[in-house]
Amino acid sequence: MSIIQTEVVIIGAGPCGLFQIFELGLLGIKAHILDSLAKPGGQCAELYPEKPIYDIPALPTCGAQELVDRLLEQVKPFGATMHFGHEVTVLNKRADGRFDVETAGGLKFDAGSIVIAGGVGSFQPRRLGVEGADAFEGTQIFYRVKAAAEFHGRNLVIFGGGDSALDWTLDLAGKAASLTLVHRRAEFRAAPASVAKMHELVAAGKMRFIEGTAQSLTTDGGVLKGVNVKDNSGAIQALPADRLLAFFGLAPKLGPIAEWGLDIEKKALKVDTEKFQTNVPGIFAVGDINTYPGKKKLILSGFHEAALAAFAIQAYLYPGKRQFLQYTTTSPVMHQRLGVSEAPGG
Ligand SMILES: Cc1cc2nc3c(=O)[nH]c(=O)nc-3n(C[C@H](O)[C@H](O)[C@H](O)COP(=O)(O)OP(=O)(O)OC[C@H]3O[C@@H](n4cnc5c(N)ncnc54)[C@H](O)[C@@H]3O)c2cc1C
């Protein structure tokens, strides 16, 4: 795979990472942005998309997903390349002052500067808490569906009670050789219509539902053969299975960011308040991931940090360049970068 050259790599596409594209773009600096999630928006999109936010300046109320959509619209003119489903695992500073960046999926970058906008960390699927499960991850135990055909014709057990668990149950019932849904209680977080449909399939004998939790795996010669489930009566049910799918939601983990040699205090990266730079020159951190005296984990704080970090990044990338503040209202060069024409009479 070829190495992608770029001025800046932004790690994390939450609201602050997205706004960083904008602030860099105004200064004529191009970025690639990466997120381990499959979509942009960080906590806003993942944890509370439907909730209103009341403290975004000049927007008396704004839905969390709406904020993400508005930010995506605002950064469009700057043509940042967005890579979703890519966790950044490697970050190294080279002797020439540039950075090598690598993702778990094998993407490689040669970047002039880095902004870490990693929030509370990279969202990871909560794992099936039974002994030995790690060894089968990606071969017989899965936490997301990449190719549905992988599960066709299999003896499949699905764990979970949210929309993902129910949606895949409905999709794969009839295509799997056998399908059992296991959820720890009779109440579901999933859409009631999906739950009703699942109960219909159970009544029609097309699948099983067990109220219970996974206890242990059955294996033979390094191959997963089944899973033992403790049901709500306390009995152990041995389910033959050659594929398990578990949807227990996502939890953030600081993950690889903790291994990049950066100064960390209480799970956050220490930065100064002039540049929002970490202890490694050229690596900046904005949003919930950073800490400094008086830090407040608010979106508007992250927006301010992104603006100042952009100027500092410009100085890092182009040390000789004169810096001056221009208003988006009146600057012809910013209008050009924004792709807008000057207002009539302006
Ligand atoms: C329920 C709730 C309500 C809230 N309400 C408000 C509010 O009213 N007002 C307000 O200002 N704030 C609110 N917040 C806080 C606000 O959501 C956060 O301050 C904001 O999301 C921080 O943005 P961020 O871009 O720094 O990080 P995040 O939104 O956390 O995004 C970080 C992104 O980085 C990615 N990432 C991390 N590590 C890696 C890696 N190694 N590789 C690739 N990707 C990585 C993560 O997957 C994530 O998508 C609320 C939070 C919650 C949970």
Side-chain angles (χ1 to χ4, degrees):
M1 208 179 284
S2 63
I3 297 173
I4 302 167
Q5 305 263 341
T6 177
E7 288 173 293
V8 181
V9 160
I10 302 169
I11 302 169
C16 302
L18 291 176
F19 194 62
Q20 188 69 67
I21 299 173
F22 182 79
E23 288 296 329
L24 289 168
L26 285 182
L27 299 180
I29 298 171
K30 290 259 178 267
H32 281 248
I33 188 164
L34 296 105
D35 205 298
S36 46
L37 291 177
K39 59 181 190 295
Q43 294 172 57
C44 294
E46 194 57 42
L47 301 181
Y48 61 106
E50 309 287 335
K51 286 200 165 66
I53 304 175
Y54 299 101
D55 57 351
I56 303 298
L59 290 175
T61 167
C62 181
Q65 184 59 47
E66 181 193 350
L67 179 73
V68 175
D69 295 342
R70 284 173 176 269
L71 284 165
L72 288 169
E73 183 66 29
Q74 193 173 21
V75 305
K76 228 186 231 168
F78 303 114
T81 312
M82 305 196 176
H83 308 266
F84 297 113
H86 286 282
E87 184 182 37
V88 176
T89 47
V90 175
L91 172 60
N92 281 321
K93 187 169 185 174
R94 302 198 311 241
D96 64 1
R98 290 182 64 85
F99 297 88
D100 293 323
V101 177
E102 286 178 32
T103 69
L107 287 185
K108 289 189 174 157
F109 297 85
D110 165 9
S113 180
I114 305 294
V115 181
I116 303 177
V120 283
S122 135
F123 285 93
Q124 308 280 338
R126 289 198 179 87
R127 303 300 204 261
L128 194 67
V130 293
E131 207 183 318
D134 290 357
F136 297 105
E137 193 170 325
T139 53
Q140 291 186 274
I141 300 181
F142 298 85
Y143 297 99
R144 65 177 71 159
V145 176
K146 276 196 182 150
E150 165 72 29
F151 304 96
H152 294 177
R154 306 287 187 180
N155 291 310
L156 176 62
V157 180
I158 298 181
F159 293 88
D163 282 317
S164 301
L166 268 289
D167 289 352
W168 281 114
T169 296
L170 299 184
D171 187 276
L172 292 166
K175 295 175 189 151
S178 71
L179 195 154
T180 307
L181 175 69
V182 179
H183 180 43
R184 66 193 153 82
R185 55 202 184 107
E187 294 76 39
F188 289 82
R189 276 174 289 112
S194 308
V195 179
K197 182 91 186 114
M198 181 274 293
H199 284 304
E200 277 172 28
L201 290 173
V202 172
K206 297 199 168 135
M207 60 167 284
R208 293 178 68 197
F209 167 60
I210 298 175
E211 209 182 311
T213 51
Q215 294 297 299
S216 59
L217 303 176
T218 313
T219 63
D220 185 9
V223 178
L224 179 71
K225 293 286 184 189
V227 57
N228 298 312
V229 168
K230 188 178 189 177
D231 69 22
N232 61 354
S233 73
I236 298 289
Q237 299 210 29
L239 307 177
D242 41 30
R243 291 291 182 276
L244 306 185
L245 261 170
F247 300 103
F248 297 139
L250 299 167
K253 254 173 86 180
L254 197 52
I257 295 173
E259 290 150 27
W260 297 338
L262 302 169
D263 281 353
I264 292 184
E265 189 178 274
K266 291 190 195 146
K267 294 191 183 170
L269 300 174
K270 282 172 83 172
V271 292
D272 64 71
T273 50
E274 179 196 347
K275 301 174 175 171
F276 298 95
Q277 186 167 249
T278 65
N279 59 309
V280 177
I283 303 183
F284 300 80
V286 301
D288 279 13
I289 193 76
N290 75 16
T291 185
Y292 51 84
K295 167 73 181 181
K296 298 285 177 280
K297 291 190 179 187
L298 289 171
I299 296 165
L300 68 85
S301 313
F303 288 173
H304 160 78
E305 294 159 14
L308 266 55
F311 282 100
I313 289 164
Q314 188 186 44
Y316 182 83
L317 292 176
Y318 307 106
K321 198 177 166 87
R322 237 184 86 222
Q323 280 194 332
F324 47 95
L325 183 76
Q326 298 184 77
Y327 292 132
T328 57
T329 324
T330 49
S331 160
V333 67
M334 283 190 172
H335 288 171
Q336 200 184 5
R337 287 171 185 154
L338 285 161
V340 294
S341 52
E342 239 179 300

